[in-house]
């Protein structure tokens, strides 16, 4: 396959950035999208040019590090697929592909296609944890969890924190990410002691980071590589309202 | 945690305001449609309904002030949310392929603002307007004649049709979203609420537009003679 790549190049956070067009020739349809970029980078390096900077880690769709907007869709628009698991067979020979970084104020570009996602780390630090007793290792299954709650928590915990929801949302809202993290811990018995404080802190931290607001367009759910449901956003809205009322009632 | 701050300053709180005021306005739109459809029961019934509403001025003003407050809060929150949303994405994408989003969901601020402009026009047209059609033979304000006269102007009638189209596009997404924002749209309730939103938007569209359409097609012409 021969492809024309229109790739965002930006030296650092202060650089204005621009699109640069590259030719990728003899691309195997069995390559992943990131392997295709690796080959392009080898060519650039051998010519003495700076390689295209992009994020990747596990390359098996579970770490949430890859972050490319491909032809206007985060992760390239294949259902439940991260960019690293996207294969070149989904593209046509001779196709022109536009590759951009996530674009959101809380995710500033560090270089080329790499953005700084520390805003997500701050949201997690503000409440994405549970209290754990010290001492000996507790027995497995010592705390009963209903199948229903375990399933809901597991669905939410599938979130890999890649930020595609923010990238796809027209408002750059992080609601799907935050709702998944809040619901993941909030539906389990281990997460109950901090339940209210968690939702209040994580929403506060999300707002302070400068993410937009949810207008229920559903773009996040459509691009999420882990198929996190909009249900979690409604659950977050419910949990936040309950926490606000409860804390006001207690006079805190 | 200050409850006022939690509601007026947080992203989720402002969505509660949007949802609750939207719910009140949605309720009004339904009541307004049901009341006005009495036009098809004839001049006497519609004028009697008008006289009935006017017979309790205190309640009428409580409702009017309440609705005005809802409109004010709804627009205030919408403008604030939209400004925050725009600020959250200062650099736009070169290419956007829309996935999973509806036209209604992407254009809420525009359908909302146009509908608001229409409501102002509508109030001047029928509510604040001078009493230019006089009274019927029972001494009541002749609303029937006013409506027929108003919609006999095809430009006005067409504006009503377009505005109601936008209103129902707005409601199709707004009603669905209010349940989401108020935290009720989970599990099986999601499809239920989404269904309610689409169904009521269609019912309101058909109900509201039936009046100007009927007048355009000759309904009630006899009262103008």
């Amino acid at each position: 396959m021969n492809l024309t790549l229109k790739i965002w190049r930006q030296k650092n956070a202060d650089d204005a950035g621009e699109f640069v067009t590259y030719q990728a020739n003899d691309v195997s349809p069995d390559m992943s999208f990131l392997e295709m970029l690796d080959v392009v980078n080898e060519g650039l390096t051998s010519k003495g040019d700076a390689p295209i900077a992009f994020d990747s880690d596990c390359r098996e769709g579970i770490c949430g590090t890859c972050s490319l907007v491909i032809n206007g869709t985060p992760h390239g628009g294949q259902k439940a697929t991260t960019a690293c698991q996207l294969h070149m067979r989904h593209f046509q020979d001779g196709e022109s592909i536009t590759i951009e970084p996530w674009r959101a104020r809380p995710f500033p570009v560090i270089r080329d296609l790499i953005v700084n996602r520390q805003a997500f780390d701050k949201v997690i630090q503000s409440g994405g944890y549970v209290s754990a007793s010290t001492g000996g290792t507790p027995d497995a299954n010592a705390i009963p969890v209903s199948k229903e709650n375990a399933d809901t928590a597991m669905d939410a915990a599938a979130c890999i924190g890649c930020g595609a929801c923010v990238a796809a949302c027209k408002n750059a809202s992080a609601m799907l990410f935050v709702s998944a993290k809040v619901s993941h811990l909030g539906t389990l018995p281990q997460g109950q002691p901090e339940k209210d404080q968690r939702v209040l802190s994580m929403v506060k931290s999300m707002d302070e980071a400068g993410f937009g607001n949810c207008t229920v367009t559903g773009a996040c759910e459509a691009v999420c590589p882990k198929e996190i449901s909009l249900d979690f956003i409604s659950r977050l809205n419910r949990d936040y309202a309950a926490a606000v009322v409860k804390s006001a009632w207690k006079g805190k | 945690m200050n409850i006022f701050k939690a509601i007026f300053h947080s992203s989720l709180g402002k969505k509660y305001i949007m949802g609750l005021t939207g719910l009140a306005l949605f309720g009004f739109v339904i009541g307004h449609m049901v009341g006005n459809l009495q036009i098809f029961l004839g001049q006497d019934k519609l004028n009697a309904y008008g006289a009935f509403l006017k017979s309790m001025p205190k309640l009428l003003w409580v409702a009017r002030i309440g609705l005005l407050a809802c409109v004010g809060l709804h627009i205030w929150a919408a403008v604030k949310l939209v400004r925050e949303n725009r600020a959250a994405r200062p650099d736009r994408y070169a290419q956007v392929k829309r996935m999973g989003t509806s036209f209604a969901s992407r254009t809420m601020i525009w359908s909302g603002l146009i509908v608001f402009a229409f409501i102002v026009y509508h109030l001047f047209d029928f509510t604040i307007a001078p009493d230019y059609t006089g009274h019927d033979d029972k001494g009541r304000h002749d609303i029937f004649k006013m409506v027929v006269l108003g919609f006999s102007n095809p430009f006005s009638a067409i504006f009503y049709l377009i505005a109601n189209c936008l209103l129902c596009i707005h409601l199709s997404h707004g009603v669905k979203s209010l349940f989401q924002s108020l935290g009720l749209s989970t599990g099986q309730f999601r499809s239920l609420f989404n269904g309610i939103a689409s169904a009521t938007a269609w019912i309101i569209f058909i109900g509201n537009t039936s009046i100007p359409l009927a007048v355009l097609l000759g309904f009630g012409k006899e009262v103008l003679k």
Side-chain angles (χ1 to χ4, degrees):
Chain A
M1 296 169 81
N2 295 322
L3 302 162
T4 305
L5 307 175
K6 201 177 139 198
I7 300 179
W8 184 257
R9 301 299 308 258
Q10 183 174 341
K11 285 196 180 68
N12 53 51
D14 302 322
D15 184 31
E18 59 175 351
F19 280 102
V20 179
T21 306
Y22 298 94
Q23 286 297 324
N25 296 327
D26 300 324
V27 173
S28 157
D30 298 327
M31 283 178 178
S32 77
F33 202 84
L34 302 189
E35 284 165 345
M36 182 273 293
L37 287 178
D38 287 339
V39 172
V40 172
N41 273 345
E42 274 176 23
L44 287 175
T45 315
S46 67
K47 279 196 291 178
D49 291 340
I52 301 149
F54 62 91
D55 252 338
S56 75
D57 191 12
C58 75
R59 298 209 175 192
E60 54 186 20
I62 55 169
C63 76
T65 308
C66 54
S67 50
L68 304 174
V69 174
I70 300 160
N71 285 339
T73 312
H75 294 306
Q78 286 295 318
K79 193 175 162 63
T81 305
T82 53
C84 62
Q85 290 291 299
L86 176 68
H87 287 85
M88 297 316 293
R89 55 179 166 269
H90 295 296
F91 297 88
Q92 306 290 324
D93 187 27
E95 195 176 333
S96 177
I97 305 173
T98 306
I99 310 169
E100 296 176 76
W102 285 178
R103 294 200 187 276
R105 190 161 62 107
F107 289 165
V109 173
I110 299 170
R111 189 185 177 95
D112 297 343
L113 302 169
I114 300 178
V115 296
N116 182 343
R117 281 171 283 185
Q118 272 183 352
F120 269 11
D121 299 337
K122 285 185 183 150
V123 171
I124 294 294
Q125 281 160 10
S126 70
Y129 51 81
V130 295
S131 303
S133 308
T134 54
T137 313
D139 285 341
N141 302 324
I143 305 168
V145 184
S146 74
K147 171 81 171 109
E148 196 188 343
N149 285 347
D151 284 350
T152 306
M154 193 61 208
D155 287 348
C159 171
I160 52 178
C162 63
C165 44
V166 175
C169 176
K170 75 178 180 68
N171 310 325
S173 167
M175 285 286 274
L176 196 67
F177 166 75
V178 176
S179 70
K181 296 303 173 192
V182 165
S183 300
H184 157 208
L185 300 174
T187 43
L188 293 173
Q190 292 89 336
Q192 295 312 304
E194 295 99 352
K195 187 177 181 187
D196 291 339
Q197 195 47 52
R198 174 182 308 116
V199 65
L200 294 174
S201 302
M202 289 178 85
V203 167
K204 185 162 174 267
S205 167
M206 169 182 85
D207 286 353
E208 282 169 0
F211 292 106
N213 307 287
C214 176
T215 49
V216 203
T217 66
C220 54
E221 185 187 49
V223 303
C224 177
K226 297 296 153 186
E227 302 186 289
I228 307 288
S229 158
L230 281 184
D231 268 29
F232 290 114
I233 296 185
S234 201
R235 204 180 266 272
L236 171 66
N237 283 319
R238 187 197 308 166
D239 287 351
Y240 185 74
V244 166
V245 171
K246 270 195 242 171
S247 71
W249 193 258
K250 289 177 193 156
K252 280 176 191 149
Chain B
M1 159 124 311
N2 181 326
I3 192 163
F4 182 83
K5 212 177 151 195
I7 292 172
F8 282 85
H9 289 260
S10 74
S11 54
L12 274 66
K14 274 172 276 182
K15 294 297 296 189
Y16 298 156
I17 296 173
M18 289 301 287
L20 289 171
T21 55
L23 184 63
L25 295 170
F26 172 60
F28 168 76
V29 167
I30 291 178
H32 185 68
M33 177 190 73
V34 172
N36 289 353
L37 282 176
Q38 293 179 64
I39 195 169
F40 294 114
L41 300 175
Q43 190 174 19
D44 182 55
K45 284 273 196 249
L46 187 71
N47 290 355
Y49 171 63
F52 163 71
L53 288 182
K54 284 274 168 77
S55 70
M56 31 188 195
K58 277 183 190 151
L59 203 64
L60 192 63
W61 275 106
V62 167
R64 282 173 172 171
I65 290 166
L67 284 169
L68 206 62
C70 284
V71 169
L73 275 172
H74 198 74
I75 295 177
W76 169 81
V79 169
K80 202 147 170 51
L81 287 164
V82 166
R83 289 174 68 112
E84 288 170 7
N85 293 345
R86 300 243 162 111
R89 161 98 16 94
D91 302 315
R92 309 201 76 80
Y93 288 107
Q95 193 179 344
V96 175
K97 191 177 158 216
R98 297 196 176 91
M99 279 183 78
T101 65
S102 66
F103 172 76
S105 75
R106 297 192 302 267
T107 52
M108 287 301 274
I109 187 73
W110 301 114
S111 56
L113 288 175
I114 297 168
V115 166
F116 176 66
F118 162 74
I119 292 169
V120 173
Y121 167 79
H122 179 48
L123 284 174
F124 277 104
D125 196 18
F126 284 156
T127 309
I128 309 171
D131 188 2
Y132 54 82
T133 49
H135 294 75
D136 62 7
D137 47 17
K138 287 183 187 161
R140 298 171 306 207
H141 181 209
D142 198 347
I143 299 166
F144 188 88
K145 193 172 168 187
M146 177 181 77
V147 172
V148 173
L149 192 66
F151 290 149
S152 297
N153 175 353
F155 292 108
S156 177
I158 287 167
F159 183 39
Y160 272 78
L161 294 181
I162 295 171
N164 270 291
C165 187
L166 287 170
L167 170 69
C168 294
I169 288 174
H170 194 78
L171 285 178
S172 70
H173 183 70
V175 172
K176 165 181 133 173
S177 300
L178 81 86
F179 291 113
Q180 170 84 356
S181 296
L182 296 176
L184 304 169
S185 200
T186 52
Q188 294 181 6
F189 281 94
R190 166 171 300 278
S191 44
L192 173 73
F193 290 136
N194 291 357
I196 288 176
S198 311
T200 45
W202 275 110
I203 291 168
I204 291 166
F205 178 70
I206 293 165
N208 278 355
T209 53
S210 69
I211 300 171
L213 271 179
V215 173
L216 274 183
L217 297 174
F219 173 78
K221 278 255 166 70
E222 63 281 358
V223 295
L224 299 181
K225 282 168 195 158

